[in-house]
């Protein structure tokens, strides 16, 4: 009887899911034993293997590590943490966020092992929501991911523009002592120029972008190590351990107007949570990764783990090397915290801050690489979502330029969107915090939706992949969803009081527009998306297809089915 059932599964797999020589995803004459495990899952879902599987676990991790980019997130937003709680918010906020984000990463790793598709969270939601809820879940997840993607690009590009401005003012004598202080109009020009540069790099083809992306991972890893060693060695004095690990700037010290110490600490966590985003890139690269059902989840875990450790070392090096806390806002770097710390360390040792400006070149290039990778990621997400008719004028955004093989329209749509979203940042620093909040909330909501579906709608039907958490699977997922719920509430709260046009945190407006807009556009009668949007094309019946594949693989391992027959 078992042999008959296995044979039926074999026939079903061959005929319905096309795991046979008729499937172009399986090379002619290839055997089950030599076929990539991730490729088998794709074929079971109805996808053809189109991309070259040239990435290993390490290279998958390396790209995600460079997209997380601690040299971008921490360098550019250290002032958010230090200005909202001081060293305690920077150091212990990082520890807390890294620990809780690990639960999110583990839950996502389990899902990508089961569903190693380049669609990532959007595709997972479509499959895990089932035929009833999948299309709506994919619709909402896709829009939140789109918002997060474009906001994180805006935040990265503004961070680089602000970083360059600090290098210019330091290199020309310093703020208040004759240095060139960049005006808001000039900052806008730098910001726009960076976006255009990254748009062009992503328009001319993928080869140069791929080369720079590979170099980026090495730059990030080596650069972080160089900064930690050099900064600690150069700084003539170091802050005490009690200062670094125990000093908290509360209600009486901060200038934000917040009147609760716990609230201050939570706002300070934004630096850490913004930095540790983008690890879903491991999923987006899964169709190009060997053995993705094993490699992609391990890459997620590695990307978060290595970033957590390296980021902690970077934060400690920065905080221990502070020479004068009173200079951080009013010194030569014009309020750019990390620039001031680097400059003061070299000024104190050598009576000249030029070395600090040179050292700032390491995170400068890291930010440039990070921004380029972000445009790659968000344009591909836009293209994918448009391909499944998730965007207005989808035909335009899903078009691939035949000459360069790149979705050029999607690239420039996302570059333009990022430019417009980033305009308020040029008016106030609080607006920068708002865009950071938008990117963080948008991405993490898109992470949480498929995790929630995995423990609710698909709890009994979920087909575990090679990487799974066993009895800890549900508790880890529950903690992950709870954490995302907490930070979603925290990061839409005002970050400065009294609330005025200059201090407004407009992240709840942007997040609210996406939430309400996506739901209204879905449920509208006659023309609503529920009439014409059906989720990812291969998602229908996805879990059932994977169960058949699992049974077939079990039969092969048990020797009851010969895959060569």
């Amino acid at each position: 009887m078992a042999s008959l059932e296995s044979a039926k599964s074999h026939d079903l797999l061959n005929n319905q899911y096309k795991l046979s020589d008729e499937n172009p995803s399986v090379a002619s004459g290839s055997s089950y034993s030599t076929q990539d495990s991730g490729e088998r899952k794709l074929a079971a879902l109805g996808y053809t293997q189109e991309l070259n599987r040239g990435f290993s676990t390490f290279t998958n991790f390396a790209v995600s590590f460079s997209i997380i980019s601690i040299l971008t997130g921490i360098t550019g937003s250290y002032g958010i943490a230090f200005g909202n709680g001081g060293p305690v918010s920077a150091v212990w906020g990082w520890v807390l966020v890294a620990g809780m984000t690990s639960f999110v990463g583990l839950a996502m790793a389990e899902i990508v092992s089961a569903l190693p598709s380049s669609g990532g969270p959007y595709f997972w939601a479509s499959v895990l929501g089932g035929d009833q809820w999948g299309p709506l879940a994919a619709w909402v997840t896709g829009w939140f991911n789109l918002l997060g993607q474009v906001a994180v690009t805006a935040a990265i590009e503004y961070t680089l523009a602000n970083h360059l401005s600090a290098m210019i003012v330091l290199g020309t004598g310093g703020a208040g002592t004759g240095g060139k202080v960049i005006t808001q109009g000039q900052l806008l020009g730098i910001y726009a120029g960076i976006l255009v540069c990254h748009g062009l790099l992503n328009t001319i083809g993928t080869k140069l972008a791929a080369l720079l992306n590979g170099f980026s991972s090495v730059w990030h890893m080596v650069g972080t190590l160089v900064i930690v060693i050099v900064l600690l060695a150069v700084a003539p004095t170091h802050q005490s351990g009690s200062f670094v690990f125990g000093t908290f700037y509360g209600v009486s010290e901060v200038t934000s107007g917040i009147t609760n110490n716990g609230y201050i600490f939570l706002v300070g966590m934004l630096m850490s949570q913004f930095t540790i985003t983008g690890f879903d890139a491991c999923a987006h690269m899964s169709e190009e990764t060997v053995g993705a059902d094993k490699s992609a989840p391990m890459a997620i875990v590695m990307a978060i783990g290595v970033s957590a450790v390296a980021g902690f070392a970077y934060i400690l090096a920065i905080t221990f090397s502070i020479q004068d806390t009173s200079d951080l806002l009013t010194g030569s770097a014009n309020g750019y915290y990390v620039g001031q710390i680097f400059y003061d360390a070299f000024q104190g040792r050598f009576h000249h801050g030029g070395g600090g400006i040179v050292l700032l070149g390491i995170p400068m290039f890291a930010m440039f690489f990070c921004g380029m990778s972000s445009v790659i990621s968000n344009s591909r997400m836009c293209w994918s979502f448009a391909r499944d008719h998730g965007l207005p004028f989808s035909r335009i955004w899903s078009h691939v330029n035949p000459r360069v093989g790149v979705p050029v329209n999607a690239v420039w749509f996302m570059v333009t969107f990022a430019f417009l979203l980033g305009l308020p940042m040029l008016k106030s620093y609080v607006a920068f915090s708002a865009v950071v909040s938008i990117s963080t909330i948008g991405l993490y909501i898109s992470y949480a939706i498929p995790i929630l579906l995995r423990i609710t709608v698909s709890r009994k039907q979920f087909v575990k992949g090679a990487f799974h958490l066993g009895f800890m699977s549900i508790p880890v997922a529950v903690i992950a969803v709870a954490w995302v719920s907490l930070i979603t509430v925290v990061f839409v709260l005002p970050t400065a009081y009294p609330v005025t046009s200059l201090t407004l945190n407009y992240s709840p407006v942007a997040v609210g527009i996406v939430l309400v807009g996506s739901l209204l556009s879905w449920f509208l009668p006659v023309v609503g998306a529920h009439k014409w949007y059906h989720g990812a094309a291969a998602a229908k019946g996805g879990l059932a297809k994977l169960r058949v594949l699992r049974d077939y693989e079990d039969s092969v391992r048990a020797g009851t089915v010969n895959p060569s027959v």
Side-chain angles (χ1 to χ4, degrees):
M1 185 68 175
S3 297
L4 178 59
E5 291 177 352
S6 296
K8 288 180 178 179
S9 293
H10 187 184
D11 291 341
L12 186 59
L13 207 56
N14 282 335
N15 297 330
Q16 184 176 350
Y17 305 132
K18 304 183 184 302
L19 284 178
S20 67
D21 290 338
E22 296 176 1
N23 182 8
S25 70
V26 182
S28 178
S30 66
S31 67
Y32 173 91
S33 60
T34 60
Q35 189 183 18
D36 183 87
S37 56
E39 184 180 339
R40 283 201 296 270
K41 284 184 178 283
L42 274 185
L45 289 167
Y47 279 123
T48 296
Q49 179 68 44
E50 298 180 85
L51 304 175
N52 178 42
R53 289 186 181 270
F55 287 93
S56 65
T57 302
F58 177 77
T59 50
N60 185 302
F61 145 78
V63 173
S64 295
F65 177 68
S66 65
I67 290 177
I68 290 175
S69 186
I70 59 174
L71 290 178
T72 299
I74 295 174
T75 304
S77 59
Y78 183 79
I80 294 177
F82 202 88
N84 289 280
V88 165
S89 287
V91 174
W92 296 115
W94 180 267
V95 173
L96 175 61
V97 167
M100 298 308 293
T101 302
S102 296
F103 287 98
V104 180
L106 285 169
M108 290 174 62
E110 187 173 55
I111 295 174
V112 75
S113 182
L115 298 166
S117 165
S118 293
Y122 153 70
F123 178 79
W124 302 340
S126 192
V127 174
L128 296 175
D131 294 345
Q132 180 179 2
W133 297 104
L136 173 59
W139 176 258
V140 176
T141 302
W143 276 102
F144 269 110
N145 195 257
L146 188 76
L147 174 68
Q149 291 272 3
V150 74
V152 80
T153 297
I156 291 166
E157 306 294 57
Y158 177 82
T159 296
L160 176 53
N162 203 38
H163 188 86
L164 287 170
S165 299
M167 294 178 70
I168 291 170
V169 71
L170 287 172
T172 55
T177 54
K180 170 62 178 175
V181 177
I182 301 300
T183 66
Q184 294 297 91
Q186 291 167 337
L187 186 63
L188 174 62
I190 297 172
Y191 176 65
I194 295 168
L195 279 167
V196 170
C197 182
H198 284 146
L200 289 172
L201 283 173
N202 280 280
T203 297
I204 60 178
T206 59
K207 289 185 178 180
L208 177 60
L211 178 64
L212 291 174
N213 200 48
F215 180 70
S216 169
S217 60
V218 178
W219 185 271
H220 275 82
M221 287 184 273
V222 175
T224 302
L225 181 62
V226 169
I227 290 175
V228 169
I229 294 173
V230 171
L231 192 59
L232 289 173
V234 167
T237 62
H238 298 93
Q239 296 290 340
S240 66
S242 61
F243 172 83
V244 172
F245 296 105
T247 298
F248 180 78
Y249 296 152
V251 173
S252 61
E253 290 94 355
V254 299
T255 59
S256 62
I258 298 175
T259 57
N260 180 276
N261 286 337
Y263 188 176
I264 291 171
F265 177 79
L266 291 174
V267 172
M269 289 194 319
L270 181 57
M271 175 202 76
S272 303
Q273 197 68 73
F274 165 64
T275 301
I276 312 180
T277 55
F279 46 87
D280 56 318
C282 297
H284 296 308
M285 293 171 54
S286 61
E287 292 183 38
E288 300 169 76
T289 303
V290 176
D293 55 331
K294 306 178 186 69
S295 300
M298 288 305 300
I300 288 178
V301 175
M302 289 169 59
I304 295 174
V306 174
S307 295
V309 173
F312 188 63
Y314 185 39
I315 290 171
L316 290 182
I318 292 170
T319 311
F320 270 113
S321 300
I322 294 173
Q323 300 302 297
D324 186 351
T325 57
S326 63
D327 274 351
L328 296 179
L329 271 177
T330 60
S332 301
N334 200 32
Y336 189 61
Y337 282 66
V338 172
Q340 191 67 50
I341 294 168
F342 282 25
Y343 187 83
D344 285 350
F346 279 85
Q347 178 72 24
R349 172 71 67 180
F350 303 111
H351 306 293
H352 191 281
I357 301 172
V358 173
L359 196 64
L360 284 170
I362 294 178
M364 178 193 72
F365 282 107
M367 292 170 189
F368 183 84
F369 295 140
C370 182
M372 183 192 65
S373 298
S374 182
V375 173
I376 292 174
S377 178
N378 69 32
S379 62
R380 277 23 172 211
M381 188 275 157
C382 173
W383 166 78
S384 177
F385 200 32
R387 181 183 58 181
D388 284 320
H389 310 291
L391 291 174
F393 311 109
S394 288
R395 182 173 296 181
I396 297 175
W397 315 127
S398 63
H399 174 72
V400 177
N401 185 293
R403 187 174 63 85
V404 294
V406 169
V408 173
N409 294 342
V411 168
W412 289 102
F413 171 70
M414 295 300 276
V415 165
T416 303
F417 195 176
F419 175 77
L420 295 175
L421 187 62
L423 287 178
M425 291 188 290
L426 302 173
K427 189 174 182 180
S428 73
Y429 186 75
V430 173
F432 171 68
S433 298
V435 174
V436 169
S437 295
I438 292 169
S439 65
T440 305
I441 293 168
L443 288 176
Y444 272 92
I445 287 178
S446 73
Y447 298 167
I449 291 175
I451 296 174
L452 179 63
L453 292 171
R454 182 260 178 273
I455 59 176
T456 53
V457 177
S458 297
R459 180 169 181 169
K460 294 182 179 179
Q461 294 82 18
F462 184 73
V463 181
K464 294 180 179 178
F467 179 95
H468 59 85
L469 303 174
F471 72 95
M472 290 301 296
S473 177
I474 302 301
V476 166
V478 169
I479 293 172
V481 173
W483 177 251
V484 174
S485 301
L486 173 65
I487 63 174
T488 298
V489 173
V490 169
F491 295 152
V492 297
L493 296 175
T495 57
Y497 291 89
V499 177
T500 67
S501 60
L502 292 178
T503 62
L504 175 68
N505 177 6
Y506 69 97
S507 61
V509 177
V511 172
I513 288 174
V514 170
L515 177 60
V516 175
S518 63
L519 292 177
L520 282 179
S521 62
W522 179 264
F523 289 108
L524 279 174
V526 184
V527 296
H530 69 283
K531 293 286 187 180
W532 47 267
Y533 180 74
H534 307 293
K540 189 174 180 61
L543 293 177
K545 298 173 186 178
L546 292 176
R547 279 197 297 275
V548 172
L549 175 62
R550 179 197 60 192
D551 294 343
Y552 179 75
E553 290 178 328
D554 288 344
S555 297
V556 171
R557 283 189 288 269
T560 57
V561 167
N562 183 351
S564 63
V565 175

